[in-house]
Amino acid sequence: MSDNQLRVVWVYPDLLSTYGDQGNVLVVERRARQRGLDVARLDVRSDQPIPTSGDIYLIGGGEDRPQRLAAERLRRDAHLYQAVNNGAIVFAVCAGYQILGHEFVNDLGQREPGLGLLDVTTVRGEGERCVGDVLADIDPRLGLPQLTGFENHQGVTHLGPTARPFANVRLGKGNGTGDGTEGAYNDTVFGTYMHGPVLARNPQIADLLLKLALDVNALPPSDDRWYEALRNERIAAAQQQPA
């Protein structure tokens, strides 16, 4: 962050914005403003270059063909790599999560190269699609409460040695590998299958992104009553699902 302005970049909303994932950028923007931060939000369409000067980059989910197009354009653009090298924070959901990895299976049934910003590889699952509410315990090193979200994906994502599981599921499929993991992260890059939108259900994750971007250990308190009501409602609903 420089010039006392937090720059939040919403990547390819014309291709990657399903299941209300645009809500993630709205939550980050709002929670930053609640702390008195000056926020510059930039929505970057797929025919525009990715800026390298952002502080937080948010990527949503998408259908198979838009996912392939997004991956192709992000590889050609290459500016997201530079932004990460500059210390930017990236948070991606579902198709965006898969794009951050080494490769995934595209709509043509072919292996599609990803960006390699996370040490993960995604294949197409052979069993039932992973659909439904998820409850999971986030890696305790991140100091966050229980994760709540909604998954809808056929992909099975395997973590390599340098990727840490973002969470371990209590309910749901997560990465779909059967090992209980959900999502992945390294120091500044995060991926998850959770929709919801996930940052509305889990505002503490948005705060974590802000703290990393600002390089601070804590933020001023904010009014979380609305968020907590949503969290409690969705957690209770998930817990009532049949096992």
Side-chain angles (χ1 to χ4, degrees):
M1 180 174 172
S2 61
D3 301 323
N4 297 317
Q5 187 176 65
L6 184 78
R7 296 168 297 246
V8 180
V9 181
W10 178 231
V11 177
Y12 295 176
D14 53 327
L15 295 176
L16 301 173
S17 185
T18 59
Y19 302 111
D21 290 333
Q22 187 178 10
N24 291 329
V25 71
L26 297 175
V27 171
V28 170
E29 186 178 17
R30 176 174 175 78
R31 292 185 75 79
R33 293 189 188 282
Q34 285 180 315
R35 275 54 180 258
L37 297 173
D38 182 15
V39 181
R41 170 181 162 181
L42 182 60
D43 293 6
V44 181
R45 293 177 58 86
S46 58
D47 60 349
Q48 298 174 316
I50 300 291
T52 60
S53 59
D55 298 299
I56 299 174
Y57 293 75
L58 297 164
I59 309 175
E63 301 300 328
D64 290 349
R65 184 173 182 275
Q67 180 188 25
R68 170 169 58 86
L69 296 175
E72 291 172 353
R73 294 172 190 186
L74 285 169
R75 290 197 308 270
R76 287 199 305 267
D77 182 288
H79 285 169
L80 191 59
Y81 299 104
Q82 185 176 339
V84 171
N85 288 335
N86 291 341
I89 313 303
V90 180
F91 185 86
V93 171
C94 203
Y97 167 34
Q98 294 179 4
I99 289 172
L100 293 184
H102 298 300
E103 68 176 29
F104 59 92
V105 179
N106 64 24
D107 58 310
L108 305 175
Q110 301 167 340
R111 294 179 179 177
E112 181 77 27
L115 303 182
L117 293 174
L118 278 176
D119 186 15
V120 303
T121 300
T122 301
V123 299
R124 192 176 299 278
E126 299 297 330
E128 293 183 355
R129 190 174 182 85
C130 301
V131 180
D133 276 304
V134 173
L135 294 178
D137 297 319
I138 295 177
D139 186 335
R141 285 172 286 198
L142 297 176
L144 297 172
Q146 187 178 47
L147 174 69
T148 170
F150 183 86
E151 63 183 348
N152 185 353
H153 61 95
Q154 191 68 41
V156 174
T157 299
H158 299 272
L159 276 59
T162 66
R164 297 173 177 170
F166 183 58
N168 286 279
V169 297
R170 295 186 181 186
L171 174 71
K173 301 296 185 181
N175 287 324
T177 55
D179 63 0
T181 62
E182 199 296 303
Y185 77 102
N186 57 33
D187 292 337
T188 61
V189 180
F190 298 79
T192 178
Y193 275 113
M194 296 299 96
H195 300 284
V198 64
L199 297 187
R201 290 199 187 193
N202 305 272
Q204 294 87 352
I205 299 176
D207 288 352
L208 172 65
L209 303 181
L210 291 173
K211 287 187 287 187
L212 291 171
L214 298 170
D215 194 21
V216 298
N217 293 322
L219 295 171
S222 64
D223 185 353
D224 284 350
R225 288 175 292 180
W226 182 89
Y227 296 99
E228 286 305 312
L230 174 62
R231 275 182 59 80
N232 294 336
E233 173 191 297
R234 299 319 309 159
I235 290 173
Q239 290 172 336
Q240 292 173 8
Q241 292 183 171

